[in-house]
Amino acid sequence: EMLVMNWRVAKLPPRQRAMLEFAHRLTVAPAEVGDEDRAALRRAGFDEREIWDVASVTGFFNFTNRLATATDMMPNEVYHSQSR
């Protein structure tokens, strides 16, 4: 439940925490993401393919959410009605 509410306070393995830190930074400050951010993922055990996967999932999530926001669309009413 903590992961859903606030991942920063959830007890996570270092690898997952590094992935979420990267995804957060890519979401809120994409122009600032650089070599050091990718190096942090490598230190956490991610290879180049896995870094691509994290970036592509993050990018797709951001893309679809921005489209939904721009068009005032609720993409999945069942999920949103579950009070999560």
Side-chain angles (χ1 to χ4, degrees):
E1 191 63 26
M2 287 312 253
L3 188 56
V4 172
M5 300 303 292
N6 181 358
W7 64 269
R8 291 184 187 276
V9 299
K11 291 183 181 180
L12 299 172
R15 181 177 160 91
Q16 285 182 328
R17 187 164 299 282
M19 177 186 65
L20 293 173
E21 290 284 354
F22 181 85
H24 180 262
R25 185 163 166 82
L26 187 57
T27 297
V28 301
E32 296 175 14
V33 172
D35 291 339
E36 181 53 37
D37 300 291
R38 290 181 293 278
L41 286 177
R42 289 185 199 98
R43 286 191 299 273
F46 287 87
D47 63 24
E48 298 308 305
R49 173 64 190 259
E50 292 169 319
I51 292 170
W52 173 269
D53 289 345
V54 170
S56 64
V57 169
T58 302
F60 186 73
F61 174 84
N62 289 325
F63 168 73
T64 58
N65 280 321
R66 283 176 174 83
L67 283 176
T69 298
T71 60
D72 197 28
M73 178 183 75
M74 186 176 296
N76 186 334
E77 291 185 29
V78 173
Y79 175 82
H80 289 283
S81 69
Q82 295 175 341
S83 300
R84 291 196 67 68

